[in-house]
Every structure is written in C-alpha cells, then in structure tokens.
Amino acid sequence: KRQALEPELNGAGDNPVVLAEDDAVISTGNFQMPLLTVALDAAGQALSHAALGAVGRCARLLSGEQAGLPENLSTRRPDGAGLAPLMKTAEALLAGIRHDAGATPPEASATGGGVEDVTANAPLAALKLQQVVERLETLLAVEAVTAAQAIDLAGVARTLPPAVAAAHAAVRARVAMLDQDRPLGADVERVAAELVRGGILAAPELAA
C-alpha cells in the first residue's frame, strides 16, 4: 500500500497541475489514481480475512462442544445467555466488513465535457477502508472480551504466556468477568477504545 500511496500523495490527483517554477498550468494532470484505489481495496480484503478469523475463534470459544467450556461461556446455564449476544454483534460486524471490503467500481465520467473521462473513485475506496478498520477494531474487542471469559472459566490464567497474560489482565482491568447476564456493549466499546485502538491488544495473542 505504501508503494501506491506515497507517489499519489506527492503527485497531483486532479487537474489542473500548477507548475509555478515554469509559469505553466497543465490540464488533466494525473487525474487517474487506479493504483491507489486498488491498493486501498486490497487492504480492505486483507482485513476482511482477519475479521473472518476473529469471528471463527469467537464461535469456537462459545461452543461448549468445541471449547470444552460452558455453552456460550455462561456461568448460569441453562438460564443465562452468557456471551451469546456478542456472537450476533460479531457476525453483524463481519457482514459490514465484507460489504465494505468489496471492490470499488471505476466509472465513466462526463465531468468537464468529456475532458475527464474516467474516475477510479479513490476517495470512496479510502472511506470504505476507514469503515472496515473501525468495524474490525470493535470486532477485535469482542474477541478480547470473549477470550478473557474463556480463560477465566478454564482456570488457566496463571499458566498463560506473558503476552497473553498481559492482554488478559488489561481486559480484566476494564471489564469484569460475566457472572450474571448484563448488557455488554459498554464493555466492548471500552476495550475497543482503550486497548485495541491503542495497539495494546493483538488478535494473534488472544487466539493462543
């Protein structure tokens, strides 16, 4: 992405190009930015794969059969919902990510009486990628809360590798273990804002 982004940022992505030293104005200078659009779309696709992995890990942790833990990581089965509502959130976030990670369509343009004949829609690609990143940050917070609950129910907090133990402790400093059903939205947003966006948590560590 850097190879596509830096030349475009240091170039002229629209017309006219004003060359002050040459006292010249050149029309339709570098109007097209397909390389930037393709690079942004590729980044979105890569992040959609990361999102799919996060949802898959959450699903396995919530499955009593696969994880060997209480179904939905609930301490009050069969009456408690546990973290089941978070799975719906995770799936909704994944759907949004996959939608925004789709290819940005190039279009014909009638702007300027046909002078500007095509557009690569790079600003739209950038906006879609921003939305992918924001949704993925929330999704990783969902995974962090889910993983912390699984660690506590498995009783393995004292045997975790240092990086995973630090991540678990960071989550628990902000979110209490779910012993009785409660709304989880504020917990997820807190982890997303304070840990994921701050770069403290990383999905590979939580997947261990």
Side-chain angles (χ1 to χ4, degrees):
K1 187 172 69 172
R2 179 183 295 274
Q3 293 177 343
L5 184 59
E6 288 185 347
E8 298 296 349
L9 290 178
N10 289 287
D14 204 345
N15 69 70
V17 175
V18 179
L19 303 176
E21 294 181 358
D22 298 331
D23 194 25
V25 177
I26 303 176
S27 296
T28 66
N30 195 28
F31 172 67
Q32 268 286 64
M33 293 187 291
L35 292 180
L36 180 56
T37 301
V38 171
L40 293 170
D41 283 350
Q45 280 288 310
L47 293 179
S48 73
H49 284 279
L52 185 61
V55 172
R57 290 188 292 270
C58 288
R60 288 191 292 275
L61 288 175
L62 290 172
S63 169
E65 181 178 352
Q66 294 187 56
L69 296 170
E71 190 72 18
N72 296 321
L73 301 178
S74 172
T75 61
R76 297 178 180 267
R77 294 293 296 171
D79 298 325
L83 270 64
L86 283 188
M87 195 63 214
K88 297 179 180 179
T89 300
E91 291 174 343
L93 289 166
L94 177 61
I97 288 170
R98 294 178 67 182
H99 178 273
D100 287 327
T104 303
E107 296 178 326
S109 174
T111 304
V115 174
E116 298 177 356
D117 53 355
V118 293
T119 175
N121 287 325
L124 177 59
L127 178 61
K128 294 195 304 104
L129 180 58
Q130 179 184 3
Q131 293 173 163
V132 167
V133 170
E134 291 173 352
R135 287 191 173 101
L136 181 58
E137 288 171 343
T138 304
L139 177 55
L140 293 179
V142 169
E143 183 183 3
V145 171
T146 303
Q149 182 80 359
I151 287 170
D152 290 339
L153 289 178
V156 296
R158 294 184 178 180
T159 63
L160 297 174
V164 182
H168 175 260
V171 173
R172 279 290 167 257
R174 293 158 177 84
V175 176
M177 178 180 175
L178 184 69
D179 182 53
Q180 185 171 356
D181 288 352
R182 66 174 186 268
L184 296 169
D187 293 341
V188 169
E189 286 300 323
R190 189 178 306 112
V191 171
E194 298 182 14
L195 299 182
V196 177
R197 296 186 185 108
I200 297 175
L201 297 183
E205 294 176 353
L206 294 174

